[in-house]
Amino acid sequence: MKLNKLTGALLIAGACAMAQAQASDDRYIIQVDNSKKGVVKALAKKLGAELHVDGDGFFAATFTGKDLSQVKGLLNNPHIKLVEADQKRYPLGIYNDDAGNPMQQQVTPYAVYQSQANQLTFDANAGMKVCVIDSGLDQSNPDFIWGNITGDNDSGTGNWYENGGPHGTHVAGTIGAADNNIGVIGMAPGVPMHIIKVFNAEGWGYSSDLAHAANLCSQAGANIINMSLGGGGSNNTESNAFENFRNAGGLVVAAAGNDGNNVRSYPAGYPSVMMIGANDADNQIADFSQYPSCTSGRGKRATNDEHICVEVTAGGVDTLSTYPADMATSSSMTADGAAFASSAMENSGNASGSLYFMGTAEATDGAANGKVCLIDRGNISFHDKVANCEASGGIGAIIVNNEAGMLYGTLGDTNSTSIPAVGAAFEDRTALMAATNANISIGTSDYGLMSGTSMATPAVAGLAALVWSNHPECTGEEIRSALKATAADAGAVGKDVYFGYGIVKATDASAYLTANGCAGGGSGDGDNTTSVELSASGYKQKGNSYVDLSWNGASTSQVDIYRNGSKIVTTSNDNSHTDSISVKGGGTYGYQVCEQGSTAACSATQTVVF
């Protein structure tokens, strides 16, 4: 895949230390009563501080060269409630493969079908509004109902309606691109949005920016906040802001992170925020999607909270959405007049002519002169294949994948070719081999592909707006529970750290609320809900690790016990069992108890960390 250099350069989020003595850029948040804020700000300025965000009950300031303890010492004032580090926050989107040609027709992204969004109608009169905290929204894109969109600027970020890179425009399109016969269609087409631009020219912002943005979202009348962003370290001011929004009836969703590890990213890691992971079009977890444990603490002091780990997932791999004008690249391809999906590799232009099969194109071939080369993937680089086609007189190249799915790739940083080259899916190889003529075109586009939990998060935000518009009497927490209760189980049986409760299903969630009311009818894990309840407690004794399991609700005489997805024992249903782990050192272990022979009548996964 082609890495988006702009976005990829920013993605160090999630790998930051969870605590630090000195804040990012010596910048801190000072919590203070609003009535005394002026006095404290004056004191800070007198002490040499540079003031930044002025929020509700707090302000942010830089104390150059000072660590946290030094700033606390300087600001020894009875009006100050708390001084804390102002954490950096980054957009969380990694890959950007440009494919498709939605400039001439409306294209439905795969995640719309996967999540059942196409089966439910958005009620535009229900009063839903999504607040998008990101890098701005490009006003040139025609795929939005601009009369439904408002915005705010944060300090130093510029106009909210001017893009700070493609990230925010892509995110907004997934939420609410209009159903207008052009471009793409969002999860909640045409939903009103409030855009808050928090990322600066370098592509990041601070936790104080997010806390202030949460207040602006409330003032704008938003029901839902979307944050396709994150970073290391929790922050009290930031956490309180989102908890206040949630307590007022709203729903906050944020990206789990893209480092493919078990690090907890914030703000997704706050209990008031719904953490979203990413899956692909084949219902598989994305390899970049972070999977923090639901457990905090260790040993007998460990506690389990499903609100600090991934709760659900949605499509976030190769997601097609809106882009700032001409910032994406798209391709189109036909063979014998029939349209085929393709991906733009390199070199803008058009090529139309007879189709010539060139094998794996490991050498020049004079028979390709004046023709479009059809090339199999394998053996040598994409660049060398296209170079051999061009050196043979070929006017364009189509490289077909050698495994299931679309071929995404580039010709490298030292590309010396000039003919247009596109990738094609392995599934289309037979039809392309039988064709006699082909036409390929590569050009700029207002639509492109990106991958990341950044892309899955707006999918859930849009789906929440879609479902909520059909049940406006519910609260955000009730919508959150319904999405989890009806998510399609994926990965290990029952709830797990990768998918949470599973892949979101909009129509099922709406039907669930219709049948059960806003309060719902279960514990929040829907199709995974059973009568089996499990608790797990880990401890060490003489250097050995043990886990005490206690359960109830199983109806069979024996139960199956699973550790990390593998059955370790079938034992009597006497409601308790102790598992001895022979591996030395630490580790994370997920346990489930199932009725004997069943993979459905199971408890939720309980995690123990040593």
Side-chain angles (χ1 to χ4, degrees):
M1 291 184 173
K2 188 195 310 182
L3 183 65
N4 180 320
K5 295 179 181 178
L6 171 65
T7 308
L10 307 176
L11 293 180
I12 54 175
C16 303
M18 301 307 289
Q20 51 188 357
Q22 191 148 336
S24 301
D25 301 329
D26 305 331
R27 179 164 154 156
Y28 303 89
I29 300 177
I30 296 92
Q31 287 188 21
V32 60
D33 287 331
N34 284 328
S35 62
K36 304 297 182 182
K37 191 191 295 182
V39 174
V40 178
K41 286 170 65 177
L43 173 61
K45 290 181 69 175
K46 185 177 180 180
L47 294 170
E50 179 185 356
L51 304 186
H52 303 293
V53 175
D54 189 345
D56 184 11
F58 70 92
F59 66 93
T62 296
F63 288 82
T64 303
K66 301 292 191 298
D67 63 22
L68 183 59
S69 62
Q70 290 173 317
V71 174
K72 286 181 176 179
L74 289 171
L75 295 179
N76 186 11
N77 186 291
H79 300 310
I80 295 175
K81 297 179 179 179
L82 177 70
V83 180
E84 60 183 337
D86 199 355
Q87 304 284 357
K88 284 186 177 181
R89 297 296 181 243
Y90 298 83
L92 291 174
I94 49 176
Y95 298 111
N96 171 19
D97 291 276
D98 305 321
N101 186 19
M103 297 289 283
Q104 300 174 359
Q105 63 185 49
Q106 183 164 279
V107 177
T108 302
Y110 76 85
V112 171
Y113 298 115
Q114 186 179 54
S115 63
Q116 303 175 334
N118 60 310
Q119 301 175 27
L120 194 63
T121 301
F122 175 68
D123 185 352
N125 298 315
M128 292 297 108
K129 181 182 285 188
V130 182
C131 194
V132 183
I133 304 175
D134 212 288
S135 63
L137 175 59
D138 192 273
Q139 64 182 335
S140 68
N141 194 290
D143 216 358
F144 295 97
I145 301 176
W146 284 96
N148 289 346
I149 301 175
T150 55
D152 278 303
N153 304 323
D154 202 348
S155 56
T157 62
N159 295 323
W160 65 265
Y161 49 82
E162 295 175 347
N163 78 84
H167 193 271
T169 301
H170 196 279
V171 164
T174 296
I175 294 170
D179 186 2
N180 58 358
N181 299 316
I182 191 70
V184 296
I185 185 170
M187 294 296 183
V191 63
M193 289 185 282
H194 188 74
I195 309 299
I196 301 181
K197 187 176 182 179
V198 297
F199 294 128
N200 58 25
E202 286 73 38
W204 45 264
Y206 288 96
S207 50
S208 59
D209 296 320
L210 301 191
H212 184 47
N215 296 329
L216 294 176
C217 291
S218 295
Q219 294 170 20
N223 315 84
I224 300 166
I225 291 176
N226 182 93
M227 292 179 290
S228 294
L229 48 85
S234 62
N235 182 281
N236 181 272
T237 305
E238 183 181 54
S239 176
N240 287 344
F242 297 119
E243 186 173 357
N244 290 339
F245 188 89
R246 187 271 310 272
N247 291 343
L251 174 64
V252 186
V253 296
N258 299 322
D259 287 335
N261 58 29
N262 62 359
V263 173
R264 187 172 294 114
S265 179
Y266 295 91
Y270 300 128
S272 60
V273 179
M274 190 176 190
M275 186 185 294
I276 310 300
N279 58 259
D280 66 15
D282 296 320
N283 294 337
Q284 301 298 310
I285 198 68
D287 58 6
F288 53 76
S289 190
Q290 282 172 228
Y291 49 93
S293 169
C294 302
T295 300
S296 60
R298 292 180 176 273
K300 292 185 177 181
R301 290 186 293 273
T303 59
N304 194 279
D305 184 355
E306 68 173 34
H307 299 105
I308 62 172
C309 49
V310 172
E311 297 187 40
V312 293
T313 68
V317 179
D318 296 328
T319 298
L320 180 66
S321 189
T322 48
Y323 253 62
D326 298 330
M327 197 174 283
T329 304
S330 67
S331 67
S332 62
M333 176 174 68
T334 62
D336 287 350
F340 290 87
S342 64
S343 70
M345 297 182 74
E346 296 285 353
N347 304 330
S348 296
N350 301 288
S352 183
S354 299
L355 196 59
Y356 177 71
F357 180 58
M358 203 172 170
T360 52
E362 296 174 53
T364 57
D365 184 344
N369 186 44
K371 299 175 182 177
V372 176
C373 304
L374 181 64
I375 303 170
D376 277 334
R377 179 180 184 178
N379 299 339
I380 63 174
S381 70
F382 298 147
H383 173 271
D384 290 348
K385 292 175 184 290
V386 177
N388 285 334
C389 170
E390 186 170 13
S392 302
I395 59 174
I398 302 169
I399 303 179
V400 184
N401 208 353
N402 57 4
E403 59 185 14
M406 177 63 65
L407 172 66
Y408 296 102
T410 72
L411 303 188
D413 292 336
T414 58
N415 174 36
S416 62
T417 67
S418 61
I419 60 174
V422 301
F426 176 76
E427 291 81 356
D428 293 329
R429 184 179 186 276
T430 299
L432 292 172
M433 290 288 291
T436 57
N437 295 282
N439 181 289
I440 60 175
S441 177
I442 297 178
T444 59
S445 177
D446 299 349
Y447 304 87
L449 294 178
M450 295 182 80
S451 294
T453 53
S454 271
M455 285 63 253
T457 302
V460 175
L463 291 166
L466 174 64
V467 173
W468 205 349
S469 77
N470 286 269
H471 304 273
E473 70 279 8
C474 298
T475 67
E477 278 297 294
E478 289 166 340
I479 298 298
R480 181 180 185 175
S481 295
L483 294 176
K484 292 190 291 185
T486 54
D489 190 21
V493 174
K495 183 178 180 294
D496 63 75
V497 294
Y498 298 99
F499 286 93
Y501 285 106
I503 302 171
V504 173
K505 300 290 181 181
T507 303
D508 290 347
S510 182
Y512 172 86
L513 290 168
T514 298
N516 298 289
C518 293
S523 62
D525 56 356
D527 294 340
N528 306 326
T529 301
T530 72
S531 58
V532 183
E533 296 182 355
L534 172 67
S535 63
S537 178
Y539 57 96
K540 287 196 173 186
Q541 196 171 72
K542 295 182 179 180
N544 296 317
S545 299
Y546 300 91
V547 178
D548 287 340
L549 304 173
S550 300
W551 68 88
N552 58 63
S555 60
T556 51
S557 61
Q558 291 189 304
V559 294
D560 297 327
I561 298 178
Y562 291 81
R563 183 207 303 144
N564 292 343
S566 298
K567 185 166 68 175
I568 57 173
V569 67
T570 298
T571 187
S572 297
N573 183 15
D574 56 7
N575 300 323
S576 67
H577 176 78
T578 297
D579 181 36
S580 175
I581 302 172
S582 59
V583 178
K584 297 293 185 181
T588 301
Y589 302 92
Y591 287 90
Q592 281 184 289
V593 172
C594 301
E595 294 183 351
Q596 186 180 14
S598 174
T599 57
C602 299
S603 70
T605 300
Q606 298 297 322
T607 305
V608 175
V609 180
F610 288 100

